Amino acid sequence: DDIYGEGRSVEASAAACQERCAGVPPCTFFSFWHDGGCHLSSRAATLQEGHGGVTAGPKHCSGMVIYLGKPSK
């Protein structure tokens, strides 16, 4: 699920990607790749498993982050 006008960005960390999501009203979830890629998704997004090295989570949380798969080396 893409948010119109919000393409992939490069962020320093999963926390920075989540912070970016928090600043975009339609964003509900974020995905962060080991190469710094940050993707924002709306509430219409669905959890996709099997994407190694991706950290994903909600816009706001109290320490909860979902990690999917093994990190790429």
Side-chain angles (χ1 to χ4, degrees), residues 36-55:
C38 176
H39 179 79
L40 307 183
S41 298
S42 74
R43 65 182 178 183
T46 58
L47 180 63
Q48 302 292 314
E49 295 188 44
H51 298 281
V54 178
T55 300

Side-chain angles (χ1 to χ4, degrees), residues 3-71:
I3 297 174
Y4 180 77
E6 295 295 331
R8 179 186 190 274
S9 67
V10 175
E11 304 298 335
S13 65
C17 184
Q18 183 182 38
E19 194 172 309
R20 177 178 171 228
C21 180
V24 175
C27 183
T28 304
F29 303 103
F30 72 94
S31 299
F32 179 78
W33 281 260
H34 70 286
D35 67 354
C38 176
H39 179 79
L40 307 183
S41 298
S42 74
R43 65 182 178 183
T46 58
L47 180 63
Q48 302 292 314
E49 295 188 44
H51 298 281
V54 178
T55 300
K59 175 188 273 197
H60 300 291
C61 64
S62 56
M64 182 185 86
V65 174
I66 300 167
Y67 179 75
L68 304 174
K70 289 197 246 179

